[in-house]
Amino acid sequence: MAGSMLEQMTREQVFLVEQAMEEMDRHYDEEKRMLRNVEDGRGDRHSTRGSAHYAVGLLIRNGEEDVERACAVLDQVLKQQLDAPDEIFHGTFKTSPQAAEPPRGGYPWKRFGPGFAYYLTSTLEKISGHLAEELGAEGEGGQHVGGKDVEQALTRAADRVIPPVWRSYDPNWREFIACAFAMILEHFEPQLPPELVRRMDEAMDKAVTGSIDRRLSDAVPMNTNIELMHLFIVHYYGHRYGNEAWIRHADHQAEQFLEDFAEFGTLAEFNSTTYYGVDLTVLGLIRQYARTDRFKAIGHTIEHGLWETIALFYHPGLENMAGPYARAYEMEMTAHSSMGVFLYLAFGERLKHLAAVNCETGHDPMIALVGVDVPEQVKRKLLGEPEERLVTRRYRELCERDQPGKNRFVCTATAWLERNLMIGACSGSRNTNGQLHPATMHWRSGAGGRYSLRLIRREPEGGWNTHLRGYSIDAAASPGKLTAAVTLETGGKALDVYFEVCGPGVTAANVSPSVWTFPGLSLRVEAEAPEPIVRERDGGGCVEIIYPYRPVSPEDVSHMAFQLKVT
């Protein structure tokens, strides 16, 4: 352990690094010199981003052969970079060496103005819809051609010509890996072979160039966490390479970000424990490694303002953030988030259980290095039982699949928090993303079990984590009550609008159209909606209360309304 950075770290920082490294060591593939991707449940692919994070941890630990392994890992990560100056994916990295190369030469994206990607996507959706109508009666040989089959076939054909973002490449890997490389170059450059450093610098030139092109074109809009990473990497590498144009770009964009933040003191990815964890990591990078006082001051203002908002919606007793969530995967803060790690760093052993291993643990060595900066007045709000309160905040969302210039709607978030209950809701959102959770509840039973409820949607037998147009919710939280008005104008697409309720002992036994009784909570329900279908899921512990929407024609417009009152 001689020469390890662990020797200069606090007990909490050491714990985070050692726990993360124990987890990542288990998934290291000696033959491929990369981490296996275990998030997909198979482990037959490798993770480029995860491997970059592993290299950070190896260099921090600096045990026997760790530096040599880190160099081998970085060599493999560098081999995954896409070098294609005329393509939209230039400078990003393949998510895995097993991933296919995105198609080249069919999309001269630099010739088009902002919003082209939106128009291209929406046009393909309209074409597939009309094509489905044309072929819906009968196909070849008298076989019925389903609309969904037509849509999927057209999508597959288009994907062979136009590189589909998220499916053929992930633009965000530029920013994630560039942040990890910045930390490595900042702390460990003298320990690395000069040739490897040269290749890393060459890769960062491509990554930052591609990131700036993406930002200026707005072809693929940047959500908050990516925008913050963009600011940091352009600033950091601009100073490293003496690139004045990059420095000016970063300074201008940072001032604009601060101005946008000052409107409501909130971020577009509002109340998201998943993305707040990334935001706090990047703000820590700015705090530690920014090269100018002004850039650091901007980061400091945003970091402290973010903690103020977190304290408003955080429930110390339930150890979770109240909804609504502008973007979220899970209802539990510790399931897909680093927020618990930051609280552990701030408060020590009493909150160590919040820093348990999850799918974000690979980020923990970076978090350990940048640390945490919680304002003193906020710390008091994050401990003990919460004050009974009704919270209202506004935020300006980003609808990343909508027309630039018309995709930043002002939303109003409301939350009610009391001893064993919190309710969250938002109105004004027009986001198509299934990660929007505009109507939520959390509670704790007398036996200590924790429970959650959320209102979501999906195509019949599909998944909720998709983009769907023509569906919106305006919801409000008040003491002991959640209301939600749903508008459905889907162009003829069927949807399931449903409440998902999860927690220990949750069953369908005591769910009727007007009364829902679960451990620790009973709700009186008023619904202007079709008769619900109630079913248990995953072998128990989750119940779905489904209100099916089955339009007759593409012109159909429908509304549902719900009132859930705690009794």
Side-chain angles (χ1 to χ4, degrees), residues 375-433:
E376 286 301 319
Q377 71 273 17
V378 171
K379 285 185 176 181
R380 294 189 294 272
K381 301 175 184 177
L382 295 170
L383 294 176
E385 286 296 329
E387 296 177 2
E388 190 173 279
R389 63 187 185 271
L390 181 66
V391 180
T392 302
R393 291 300 294 269
R394 290 198 293 172
Y395 67 96
R396 188 175 293 276
E397 70 180 356
L398 170 66
C399 304
E400 70 266 33
R401 298 289 179 94
D402 282 353
Q403 181 181 352
K406 298 181 179 179
N407 60 354
R408 300 297 306 272
F409 300 101
V410 174
C411 308
T412 300
T414 52
W416 169 253
L417 291 86
E418 58 181 79
R419 183 176 178 83
N420 290 313
L421 171 71
M422 54 187 184
I423 304 171
C426 83
S427 62
S429 172
R430 295 300 176 260
N431 209 327
T432 62
N433 196 333

